[in-house]
Amino acid sequence: SSPSSSSSSSPMSVQTLQNFQGDTLIHVGEWFGCTKTLSMEGQGTPNEPYPWGRSTSPEFQIMLTATFHKVLQVPLPNWGSVQNSLSVWKRTRTTILEDDRYAFV
C-alpha cells in the first residue's frame, strides 16, 4: 500500500521508509543529537529536551538506523539554530549463523 493510502497513525516518513525498496537513501535535515532544538512545537513534554531535530520523526530515525547504516554525512550551510546535514545510508544486510542474526555491510 502507498503511504498516502495507509490508515496507520505512523508519521508519513515512517510509512514511506516501510515501503521503500531501494538500497541507498539520502536524508537531508537535522538528525538525533545533531541539533540545537531544545523543544518542539506540539511536543507532549515541552519542558524536556528534544534531541531529534525538526526534519524527521523519532520513529523514522530509529527505523532508519535499525535497517540502514550511514556511509557519509556532510554538513550543509545553516542559519540560526538549524543544524542540517546531508547523509547517505545503505541498507544493512543480515545473515543468520547458528541461530543468531548478524549485520554486514
Side-chain angles (χ1 to χ4, degrees), residues 8-56:
S8 171
S9 62
S10 296
M12 184 173 61
S13 58
V14 171
Q15 295 173 37
T16 302
L17 185 56
Q18 289 171 332
N19 287 290
F20 180 66
Q21 298 298 309
D23 289 326
T24 303
L25 184 139
I26 296 175
H27 179 274
V28 177
E30 292 187 307
W31 194 255
F32 177 82
C34 299
T35 180
K36 293 180 182 175
T37 300
L38 298 178
S39 65
M40 185 72 167
E41 184 178 324
Q43 176 183 342
T45 53
N47 294 327
E48 293 183 16
Y50 190 81
W52 301 97
R54 296 179 175 265
S55 303
T56 50

mmCIF file of all heavy atoms in Angstrom, residues 8-56:
data_model
loop_
_atom_site.group_PDB
_atom_site.id
_atom_site.type_symbol
_atom_site.label_atom_id
_atom_site.label_comp_id
_atom_site.label_asym_id
_atom_site.label_seq_id
_atom_site.Cartn_x
_atom_site.Cartn_y
_atom_site.Cartn_z
ATOM 1 N N SER A 8 -2.685 3.953 8.960
ATOM 2 C CA SER A 8 -1.822 3.935 10.133
ATOM 3 C C SER A 8 -1.674 5.335 10.707
ATOM 4 O O SER A 8 -1.747 6.327 9.993
ATOM 5 C CB SER A 8 -0.450 3.387 9.742
ATOM 6 O OG SER A 8 0.458 3.550 10.805
ATOM 7 N N SER A 9 -1.414 5.403 12.005
ATOM 8 C CA SER A 9 -1.154 6.693 12.635
ATOM 9 C C SER A 9 0.334 6.998 12.634
ATOM 10 O O SER A 9 0.755 7.981 13.225
ATOM 11 C CB SER A 9 -1.704 6.688 14.068
ATOM 12 O OG SER A 9 -1.043 5.691 14.829
ATOM 13 N N SER A 10 1.142 6.190 11.966
ATOM 14 C CA SER A 10 2.578 6.433 11.858
ATOM 15 C C SER A 10 2.828 7.691 11.032
ATOM 16 O O SER A 10 2.081 7.991 10.105
ATOM 17 C CB SER A 10 3.277 5.260 11.176
ATOM 18 O OG SER A 10 3.174 4.095 11.941
ATOM 19 N N PRO A 11 3.915 8.402 11.348
ATOM 20 C CA PRO A 11 4.262 9.561 10.515
ATOM 21 C C PRO A 11 4.484 9.138 9.061
ATOM 22 O O PRO A 11 4.873 8.000 8.782
ATOM 23 C CB PRO A 11 5.569 10.067 11.142
ATOM 24 C CG PRO A 11 5.566 9.525 12.536
ATOM 25 C CD PRO A 11 4.830 8.222 12.460
ATOM 26 N N MET A 12 4.243 10.066 8.134
ATOM 27 C CA MET A 12 4.410 9.768 6.722
ATOM 28 C C MET A 12 5.831 9.300 6.415
ATOM 29 O O MET A 12 6.032 8.426 5.575
ATOM 30 C CB MET A 12 4.068 10.980 5.870
ATOM 31 C CG MET A 12 4.137 10.680 4.384
ATOM 32 S SD MET A 12 3.557 11.997 3.301
ATOM 33 C CE MET A 12 4.681 13.308 3.692
ATOM 34 N N SER A 13 6.834 9.858 7.108
ATOM 35 C CA SER A 13 8.216 9.445 6.863
ATOM 36 C C SER A 13 8.409 7.964 7.187
ATOM 37 O O SER A 13 9.104 7.242 6.464
ATOM 38 C CB SER A 13 9.187 10.305 7.675
ATOM 39 O OG SER A 13 8.906 10.216 9.057
ATOM 40 N N VAL A 14 7.778 7.479 8.239
ATOM 41 C CA VAL A 14 7.875 6.060 8.618
ATOM 42 C C VAL A 14 7.171 5.193 7.578
ATOM 43 O O VAL A 14 7.705 4.171 7.133
ATOM 44 C CB VAL A 14 7.285 5.816 10.026
ATOM 45 C CG1 VAL A 14 7.174 4.334 10.328
ATOM 46 C CG2 VAL A 14 8.120 6.525 11.071
ATOM 47 N N GLN A 15 5.979 5.597 7.167
ATOM 48 C CA GLN A 15 5.245 4.839 6.157
ATOM 49 C C GLN A 15 6.034 4.761 4.853
ATOM 50 O O GLN A 15 6.087 3.717 4.198
ATOM 51 C CB GLN A 15 3.880 5.476 5.912
ATOM 52 C CG GLN A 15 2.971 5.419 7.125
ATOM 53 C CD GLN A 15 1.691 6.203 6.900
ATOM 54 O OE1 GLN A 15 1.149 6.206 5.807
ATOM 55 N NE2 GLN A 15 1.202 6.854 7.943
ATOM 56 N N THR A 16 6.658 5.867 4.484
ATOM 57 C CA THR A 16 7.461 5.897 3.264
ATOM 58 C C THR A 16 8.653 4.961 3.380
ATOM 59 O O THR A 16 8.953 4.188 2.462
ATOM 60 C CB THR A 16 7.924 7.333 2.970
ATOM 61 O OG1 THR A 16 6.763 8.163 2.841
ATOM 62 C CG2 THR A 16 8.744 7.406 1.707
ATOM 63 N N LEU A 17 9.349 4.996 4.510
ATOM 64 C CA LEU A 17 10.506 4.111 4.713
ATOM 65 C C LEU A 17 10.086 2.643 4.704
ATOM 66 O O LEU A 17 10.783 1.797 4.147
ATOM 67 C CB LEU A 17 11.225 4.465 6.014
ATOM 68 C CG LEU A 17 12.516 3.705 6.307
ATOM 69 C CD1 LEU A 17 13.525 3.855 5.168
ATOM 70 C CD2 LEU A 17 13.122 4.189 7.620
ATOM 71 N N GLN A 18 8.939 2.331 5.286
ATOM 72 C CA GLN A 18 8.447 0.949 5.282
ATOM 73 C C GLN A 18 8.197 0.444 3.866
ATOM 74 O O GLN A 18 8.358 -0.731 3.585
ATOM 75 C CB GLN A 18 7.163 0.844 6.108
ATOM 76 C CG GLN A 18 7.381 0.979 7.584
ATOM 77 C CD GLN A 18 6.087 1.098 8.365
ATOM 78 O OE1 GLN A 18 5.065 1.573 7.862
ATOM 79 N NE2 GLN A 18 6.126 0.675 9.623
ATOM 80 N N ASN A 19 7.814 1.331 2.968
ATOM 81 C CA ASN A 19 7.524 0.955 1.580
ATOM 82 C C ASN A 19 8.727 1.081 0.653
ATOM 83 O O ASN A 19 8.667 0.631 -0.486
ATOM 84 C CB ASN A 19 6.369 1.808 1.049
ATOM 85 C CG ASN A 19 5.048 1.390 1.651
ATOM 86 O OD1 ASN A 19 4.541 0.325 1.361
ATOM 87 N ND2 ASN A 19 4.502 2.224 2.518
ATOM 88 N N PHE A 20 9.802 1.684 1.128
ATOM 89 C CA PHE A 20 10.977 1.918 0.301
ATOM 90 C C PHE A 20 11.710 0.600 0.057
ATOM 91 O O PHE A 20 12.046 -0.108 0.986
ATOM 92 C CB PHE A 20 11.903 2.929 0.984
ATOM 93 C CG PHE A 20 13.147 3.248 0.209
ATOM 94 C CD1 PHE A 20 13.070 3.903 -1.014
ATOM 95 C CD2 PHE A 20 14.392 2.902 0.697
ATOM 96 C CE1 PHE A 20 14.219 4.212 -1.730
ATOM 97 C CE2 PHE A 20 15.543 3.211 -0.009
ATOM 98 C CZ PHE A 20 15.457 3.859 -1.230
ATOM 99 N N GLN A 21 11.964 0.279 -1.201
ATOM 100 C CA GLN A 21 12.608 -0.986 -1.559
ATOM 101 C C GLN A 21 14.065 -0.823 -1.983
ATOM 102 O O GLN A 21 14.756 -1.807 -2.205
ATOM 103 C CB GLN A 21 11.825 -1.657 -2.699
ATOM 104 C CG GLN A 21 10.396 -2.005 -2.323
ATOM 105 C CD GLN A 21 10.326 -2.994 -1.182
ATOM 106 O OE1 GLN A 21 10.974 -4.031 -1.222
ATOM 107 N NE2 GLN A 21 9.556 -2.679 -0.152
ATOM 108 N N GLY A 22 14.540 0.409 -2.105
ATOM 109 C CA GLY A 22 15.900 0.649 -2.576
ATOM 110 C C GLY A 22 16.960 0.312 -1.545
ATOM 111 O O GLY A 22 16.673 0.025 -0.386
ATOM 112 N N ASP A 23 18.212 0.361 -1.990
ATOM 113 C CA ASP A 23 19.347 0.055 -1.115
ATOM 114 C C ASP A 23 20.073 1.293 -0.620
ATOM 115 O O ASP A 23 20.871 1.210 0.300
ATOM 116 C CB ASP A 23 20.351 -0.842 -1.853
ATOM 117 C CG ASP A 23 19.818 -2.243 -2.053
ATOM 118 O OD1 ASP A 23 19.080 -2.735 -1.174
ATOM 119 O OD2 ASP A 23 20.139 -2.851 -3.086
ATOM 120 N N THR A 24 19.836 2.454 -1.246
ATOM 121 C CA THR A 24 20.508 3.696 -0.867
ATOM 122 C C THR A 24 19.462 4.762 -0.579
ATOM 123 O O THR A 24 18.526 4.944 -1.351
ATOM 124 C CB THR A 24 21.436 4.182 -2.004
ATOM 125 O OG1 THR A 24 22.364 3.146 -2.313
ATOM 126 C CG2 THR A 24 22.193 5.431 -1.591
ATOM 127 N N LEU A 25 19.627 5.464 0.528
ATOM 128 C CA LEU A 25 18.695 6.506 0.938
ATOM 129 C C LEU A 25 19.498 7.761 1.281
ATOM 130 O O LEU A 25 20.564 7.658 1.896
ATOM 131 C CB LEU A 25 17.900 6.029 2.156
ATOM 132 C CG LEU A 25 16.826 6.969 2.654
ATOM 133 C CD1 LEU A 25 15.586 6.186 3.034
ATOM 134 C CD2 LEU A 25 17.313 7.788 3.822
ATOM 135 N N ILE A 26 19.006 8.911 0.894
ATOM 136 C CA ILE A 26 19.642 10.185 1.228
ATOM 137 C C ILE A 26 18.707 10.961 2.148
ATOM 138 O O ILE A 26 17.526 11.141 1.835
ATOM 139 C CB ILE A 26 19.956 10.999 -0.043
ATOM 140 C CG1 ILE A 26 20.979 10.232 -0.887
ATOM 141 C CG2 ILE A 26 20.464 12.393 0.323
ATOM 142 C CD1 ILE A 26 21.281 10.855 -2.223
ATOM 143 N N HIS A 27 19.231 11.388 3.277
ATOM 144 C CA HIS A 27 18.473 12.164 4.255
ATOM 145 C C HIS A 27 19.068 13.567 4.300
ATOM 146 O O HIS A 27 20.282 13.722 4.436
ATOM 147 C CB HIS A 27 18.565 11.504 5.640
ATOM 148 C CG HIS A 27 17.841 12.247 6.710
ATOM 149 N ND1 HIS A 27 18.401 13.287 7.422
ATOM 150 C CD2 HIS A 27 16.591 12.094 7.195
ATOM 151 C CE1 HIS A 27 17.524 13.735 8.302
ATOM 152 N NE2 HIS A 27 16.417 13.025 8.186
ATOM 153 N N VAL A 28 18.215 14.575 4.188
ATOM 154 C CA VAL A 28 18.647 15.963 4.314
ATOM 155 C C VAL A 28 17.869 16.571 5.464
ATOM 156 O O VAL A 28 16.644 16.549 5.475
ATOM 157 C CB VAL A 28 18.397 16.756 3.011
ATOM 158 C CG1 VAL A 28 18.779 18.216 3.198
ATOM 159 C CG2 VAL A 28 19.168 16.133 1.861
ATOM 160 N N GLY A 29 18.588 17.089 6.449
ATOM 161 C CA GLY A 29 17.936 17.715 7.586
ATOM 162 C C GLY A 29 18.700 17.471 8.869
ATOM 163 O O GLY A 29 19.844 17.031 8.855
ATOM 164 N N GLU A 30 18.043 17.757 9.976
ATOM 165 C CA GLU A 30 18.661 17.546 11.286
ATOM 166 C C GLU A 30 18.545 16.071 11.672
ATOM 167 O O GLU A 30 17.665 15.359 11.205
ATOM 168 C CB GLU A 30 17.988 18.415 12.344
ATOM 169 C CG GLU A 30 18.254 19.894 12.139
ATOM 170 C CD GLU A 30 17.726 20.734 13.271
ATOM 171 O OE1 GLU A 30 16.530 20.600 13.615
ATOM 172 O OE2 GLU A 30 18.499 21.533 13.806
ATOM 173 N N TRP A 31 19.441 15.636 12.539
ATOM 174 C CA TRP A 31 19.491 14.250 12.965
ATOM 175 C C TRP A 31 19.647 14.194 14.470
ATOM 176 O O TRP A 31 20.121 15.140 15.099
ATOM 177 C CB TRP A 31 20.658 13.525 12.278
ATOM 178 C CG TRP A 31 20.549 12.047 12.413
ATOM 179 C CD1 TRP A 31 21.293 11.246 13.252
ATOM 180 C CD2 TRP A 31 19.637 11.177 11.750
ATOM 181 N NE1 TRP A 31 20.892 9.949 13.130
ATOM 182 C CE2 TRP A 31 19.877 9.878 12.212
ATOM 183 C CE3 TRP A 31 18.636 11.380 10.807
ATOM 184 C CZ2 TRP A 31 19.153 8.780 11.763
ATOM 185 C CZ3 TRP A 31 17.926 10.280 10.363
ATOM 186 C CH2 TRP A 31 18.180 9.008 10.829
ATOM 187 N N PHE A 32 19.273 13.065 15.070
ATOM 188 C CA PHE A 32 19.357 12.876 16.519
ATOM 189 C C PHE A 32 20.731 13.292 17.048
ATOM 190 O O PHE A 32 21.755 12.848 16.538
ATOM 191 C CB PHE A 32 19.092 11.415 16.891
ATOM 192 C CG PHE A 32 19.231 11.149 18.369
ATOM 193 C CD1 PHE A 32 18.188 11.443 19.225
ATOM 194 C CD2 PHE A 32 20.395 10.636 18.894
ATOM 195 C CE1 PHE A 32 18.300 11.215 20.583
ATOM 196 C CE2 PHE A 32 20.521 10.400 20.254
ATOM 197 C CZ PHE A 32 19.470 10.696 21.095
ATOM 198 N N GLY A 33 20.730 14.138 18.053
ATOM 199 C CA GLY A 33 21.969 14.562 18.690
ATOM 200 C C GLY A 33 22.720 15.640 17.934
ATOM 201 O O GLY A 33 23.698 16.178 18.443
ATOM 202 N N CYS A 34 22.301 15.959 16.729
ATOM 203 C CA CYS A 34 22.956 16.984 15.905
ATOM 204 C C CYS A 34 21.992 18.133 15.669
ATOM 205 O O CYS A 34 21.687 18.489 14.528
ATOM 206 C CB CYS A 34 23.420 16.387 14.579
ATOM 207 S SG CYS A 34 24.616 15.070 14.758
ATOM 208 N N THR A 35 21.468 18.681 16.728
ATOM 209 C CA THR A 35 20.500 19.766 16.637
ATOM 210 C C THR A 35 20.668 20.690 17.837
ATOM 211 O O THR A 35 21.155 20.269 18.883
ATOM 212 C CB THR A 35 19.060 19.226 16.595
ATOM 213 O OG1 THR A 35 18.155 20.314 16.508
ATOM 214 C CG2 THR A 35 18.717 18.389 17.813
ATOM 215 N N LYS A 36 20.268 21.911 17.662
ATOM 216 C CA LYS A 36 20.246 22.858 18.772
ATOM 217 C C LYS A 36 18.814 23.092 19.244
ATOM 218 O O LYS A 36 18.561 23.962 20.055
ATOM 219 C CB LYS A 36 20.882 24.180 18.350
ATOM 220 C CG LYS A 36 22.367 24.056 18.079
ATOM 221 C CD LYS A 36 22.953 25.390 17.676
ATOM 222 C CE LYS A 36 24.433 25.243 17.368
ATOM 223 N NZ LYS A 36 25.002 26.497 16.868
ATOM 224 N N THR A 37 17.874 22.300 18.722
ATOM 225 C CA THR A 37 16.476 22.414 19.098
ATOM 226 C C THR A 37 16.304 21.950 20.543
ATOM 227 O O THR A 37 16.672 20.828 20.876
ATOM 228 C CB THR A 37 15.594 21.559 18.177
ATOM 229 O OG1 THR A 37 15.765 22.007 16.845
ATOM 230 C CG2 THR A 37 14.131 21.651 18.569
ATOM 231 N N LEU A 38 15.776 22.815 21.379
ATOM 232 C CA LEU A 38 15.570 22.452 22.772
ATOM 233 C C LEU A 38 14.194 21.879 23.029
ATOM 234 O O LEU A 38 14.002 21.081 23.931
ATOM 235 C CB LEU A 38 15.806 23.668 23.670
ATOM 236 C CG LEU A 38 17.226 24.239 23.610
ATOM 237 C CD1 LEU A 38 17.331 25.459 24.509
ATOM 238 C CD2 LEU A 38 18.241 23.191 24.002
ATOM 239 N N SER A 39 13.222 22.295 22.256
ATOM 240 C CA SER A 39 11.879 21.735 22.374
ATOM 241 C C SER A 39 11.210 21.858 21.020
ATOM 242 O O SER A 39 11.644 22.612 20.162
ATOM 243 C CB SER A 39 11.062 22.441 23.449
ATOM 244 O OG SER A 39 10.848 23.779 23.093
ATOM 245 N N MET A 40 10.151 21.092 20.838
ATOM 246 C CA MET A 40 9.485 21.025 19.543
ATOM 247 C C MET A 40 8.027 21.415 19.717
ATOM 248 O O MET A 40 7.375 20.968 20.663
ATOM 249 C CB MET A 40 9.598 19.603 19.011
ATOM 250 C CG MET A 40 9.063 19.390 17.653
ATOM 251 S SD MET A 40 10.164 20.150 16.456
ATOM 252 C CE MET A 40 9.525 19.408 14.994
ATOM 253 N N GLU A 41 7.517 22.235 18.813
ATOM 254 C CA GLU A 41 6.108 22.623 18.853
ATOM 255 C C GLU A 41 5.246 21.369 18.808
ATOM 256 O O GLU A 41 5.472 20.472 17.988
ATOM 257 C CB GLU A 41 5.793 23.510 17.654
ATOM 258 C CG GLU A 41 4.385 24.033 17.662
ATOM 259 C CD GLU A 41 4.133 24.955 16.484
ATOM 260 O OE1 GLU A 41 5.040 25.702 16.100
ATOM 261 O OE2 GLU A 41 3.013 24.910 15.967
ATOM 262 N N GLY A 42 4.292 21.270 19.701
ATOM 263 C CA GLY A 42 3.423 20.105 19.747
ATOM 264 C C GLY A 42 3.982 18.953 20.555
ATOM 265 O O GLY A 42 3.343 17.931 20.719
ATOM 266 N N GLN A 43 5.197 19.101 21.054
ATOM 267 C CA GLN A 43 5.828 18.055 21.860
ATOM 268 C C GLN A 43 5.023 17.850 23.136
ATOM 269 O O GLN A 43 4.610 18.800 23.779
ATOM 270 C CB GLN A 43 7.260 18.482 22.180
ATOM 271 C CG GLN A 43 8.033 17.563 23.078
ATOM 272 C CD GLN A 43 9.420 18.142 23.384
ATOM 273 O OE1 GLN A 43 9.896 19.015 22.691
ATOM 274 N NE2 GLN A 43 10.022 17.653 24.433
ATOM 275 N N GLY A 44 4.786 16.594 23.494
ATOM 276 C CA GLY A 44 3.979 16.288 24.667
ATOM 277 C C GLY A 44 4.564 16.823 25.956
ATOM 278 O O GLY A 44 3.839 17.153 26.885
ATOM 279 N N THR A 45 5.883 16.901 26.041
ATOM 280 C CA THR A 45 6.563 17.407 27.234
ATOM 281 C C THR A 45 7.491 18.551 26.817
ATOM 282 O O THR A 45 8.694 18.366 26.670
ATOM 283 C CB THR A 45 7.360 16.280 27.925
ATOM 284 O OG1 THR A 45 8.223 15.675 26.947
ATOM 285 C CG2 THR A 45 6.445 15.227 28.516
ATOM 286 N N PRO A 46 6.936 19.756 26.604
ATOM 287 C CA PRO A 46 7.716 20.861 26.036
ATOM 288 C C PRO A 46 8.864 21.363 26.906
ATOM 289 O O PRO A 46 9.746 22.043 26.413
ATOM 290 C CB PRO A 46 6.670 21.958 25.819
ATOM 291 C CG PRO A 46 5.558 21.622 26.736
ATOM 292 C CD PRO A 46 5.565 20.124 26.877
ATOM 293 N N ASN A 47 8.884 21.020 28.180
ATOM 294 C CA ASN A 47 9.967 21.479 29.051
ATOM 295 C C ASN A 47 11.150 20.511 29.075
ATOM 296 O O ASN A 47 12.154 20.776 29.720
ATOM 297 C CB ASN A 47 9.455 21.706 30.471
ATOM 298 C CG ASN A 47 8.471 22.861 30.524
ATOM 299 O OD1 ASN A 47 8.599 23.818 29.767
ATOM 300 N ND2 ASN A 47 7.488 22.767 31.395
ATOM 301 N N GLU A 48 11.033 19.384 28.371
ATOM 302 C CA GLU A 48 12.128 18.420 28.311
ATOM 303 C C GLU A 48 12.881 18.583 26.997
ATOM 304 O O GLU A 48 12.306 18.985 25.985
ATOM 305 C CB GLU A 48 11.579 16.990 28.426
ATOM 306 C CG GLU A 48 10.976 16.707 29.782
ATOM 307 C CD GLU A 48 10.492 15.272 29.904
ATOM 308 O OE1 GLU A 48 10.876 14.422 29.076
ATOM 309 O OE2 GLU A 48 9.721 15.013 30.833
ATOM 310 N N PRO A 49 14.184 18.282 26.979
ATOM 311 C CA PRO A 49 14.956 18.396 25.735
ATOM 312 C C PRO A 49 14.375 17.520 24.626
ATOM 313 O O PRO A 49 13.819 16.449 24.887
ATOM 314 C CB PRO A 49 16.349 17.890 26.135
ATOM 315 C CG PRO A 49 16.400 18.018 27.610
ATOM 316 C CD PRO A 49 14.994 17.827 28.097
ATOM 317 N N TYR A 50 14.512 17.988 23.397
ATOM 318 C CA TYR A 50 14.042 17.254 22.226
ATOM 319 C C TYR A 50 15.228 17.089 21.278
ATOM 320 O O TYR A 50 15.498 17.963 20.451
ATOM 321 C CB TYR A 50 12.897 18.010 21.543
ATOM 322 C CG TYR A 50 12.198 17.200 20.483
ATOM 323 C CD1 TYR A 50 11.228 16.272 20.827
ATOM 324 C CD2 TYR A 50 12.529 17.349 19.139
ATOM 325 C CE1 TYR A 50 10.579 15.519 19.864
ATOM 326 C CE2 TYR A 50 11.887 16.597 18.162
ATOM 327 C CZ TYR A 50 10.917 15.686 18.535
ATOM 328 O OH TYR A 50 10.284 14.947 17.574
ATOM 329 N N PRO A 51 15.974 15.980 21.374
ATOM 330 C CA PRO A 51 17.223 15.829 20.621
ATOM 331 C C PRO A 51 17.063 15.369 19.184
ATOM 332 O O PRO A 51 18.049 15.147 18.496
ATOM 333 C CB PRO A 51 17.969 14.772 21.441
ATOM 334 C CG PRO A 51 16.872 13.898 21.959
ATOM 335 C CD PRO A 51 15.736 14.850 22.274
ATOM 336 N N TRP A 52 15.839 15.192 18.691
ATOM 337 C CA TRP A 52 15.601 14.572 17.381
ATOM 338 C C TRP A 52 15.689 15.536 16.209
ATOM 339 O O TRP A 52 15.721 15.110 15.060
ATOM 340 C CB TRP A 52 14.217 13.906 17.375
ATOM 341 C CG TRP A 52 14.103 12.870 18.429
ATOM 342 C CD1 TRP A 52 13.541 13.031 19.671
ATOM 343 C CD2 TRP A 52 14.592 11.540 18.380
ATOM 344 N NE1 TRP A 52 13.653 11.866 20.373
ATOM 345 C CE2 TRP A 52 14.287 10.930 19.604
ATOM 346 C CE3 TRP A 52 15.241 10.790 17.399
ATOM 347 C CZ2 TRP A 52 14.621 9.607 19.887
ATOM 348 C CZ3 TRP A 52 15.574 9.479 17.684
ATOM 349 C CH2 TRP A 52 15.264 8.907 18.922
ATOM 350 N N GLY A 53 15.706 16.824 16.443
ATOM 351 C CA GLY A 53 15.710 17.783 15.346
ATOM 352 C C GLY A 53 14.311 17.991 14.799
ATOM 353 O O GLY A 53 13.332 17.415 15.275
ATOM 354 N N ARG A 54 14.217 18.796 13.760
ATOM 355 C CA ARG A 54 12.912 19.177 13.213
ATOM 356 C C ARG A 54 12.619 18.554 11.860
ATOM 357 O O ARG A 54 11.633 18.880 11.235
ATOM 358 C CB ARG A 54 12.841 20.695 13.095
ATOM 359 C CG ARG A 54 12.901 21.392 14.424
ATOM 360 C CD ARG A 54 12.838 22.908 14.232
ATOM 361 N NE ARG A 54 12.784 23.561 15.523
ATOM 362 C CZ ARG A 54 11.652 23.920 16.111
ATOM 363 N NH1 ARG A 54 10.508 23.709 15.541
ATOM 364 N NH2 ARG A 54 11.685 24.503 17.298
ATOM 365 N N SER A 55 13.474 17.677 11.362
ATOM 366 C CA SER A 55 13.323 17.192 9.989
ATOM 367 C C SER A 55 12.507 15.920 9.860
ATOM 368 O O SER A 55 11.639 15.825 9.001
ATOM 369 C CB SER A 55 14.701 16.988 9.362
ATOM 370 O OG SER A 55 15.427 18.193 9.408
ATOM 371 N N THR A 56 12.808 14.931 10.655
ATOM 372 C CA THR A 56 12.090 13.653 10.585
ATOM 373 C C THR A 56 11.751 13.189 11.997
ATOM 374 O O THR A 56 12.410 13.571 12.956
ATOM 375 C CB THR A 56 12.922 12.567 9.867
ATOM 376 O OG1 THR A 56 14.239 12.516 10.428
ATOM 377 C CG2 THR A 56 13.035 12.846 8.378
#
